[in-house]
Amino acid sequence: MIIKILAFGITKDIFGGSEKKIEINEGASVKVLKEFLEKDFPELKKLKSYFIAIDDEYAEDNQIIEVSNEIAIIPPVSGG
């Protein structure tokens, strides 16, 4: 299935834009998505942390991704 991923902050630079479409297997989990993204975009591994949000809520690694989900990569947030 083809999914669209929204990127914010530094992840936008890593992806080369604010959106990326990728193809993953039906029934893939968030963990599988992270592994796929880190393979294609190794700079993600250099981040202190990042989160995957599905439909405006932080997702757990075992959550299954559906083609209709809105998926976002949330980079580390600096404060001050």
Side-chain angles (χ1 to χ4, degrees):
M1 71 181 166
I2 296 176
I3 58 172
K4 180 173 75 172
I5 299 174
L6 304 175
F8 298 94
I10 188 71
T11 60
K12 205 163 39 170
D13 295 334
I14 292 171
F15 289 171
S18 60
E19 289 184 9
K20 197 69 161 171
K21 289 187 179 182
I22 64 165
E23 186 171 352
I24 61 172
N25 293 330
E26 293 272 340
S29 67
V30 169
K31 182 178 181 182
V32 169
L33 174 62
K34 285 181 178 179
E35 291 168 354
F36 178 87
L37 291 173
E38 290 175 2
K39 181 180 171 209
D40 279 10
F41 302 96
E43 292 291 314
L44 280 176
K45 287 191 241 180
K46 295 180 182 178
L47 297 178
K48 185 175 181 180
S49 67
Y50 68 93
F51 299 97
I52 304 285
I54 296 179
D55 297 333
D56 298 323
E57 293 188 21
Y58 289 115
E60 298 292 326
D61 280 350
N62 63 348
Q63 187 170 345
I64 301 300
I65 298 169
E66 303 289 333
V67 71
S68 61
N69 291 141
E70 179 180 79
I71 301 167
I73 307 295
I74 311 296
V77 178
S78 61

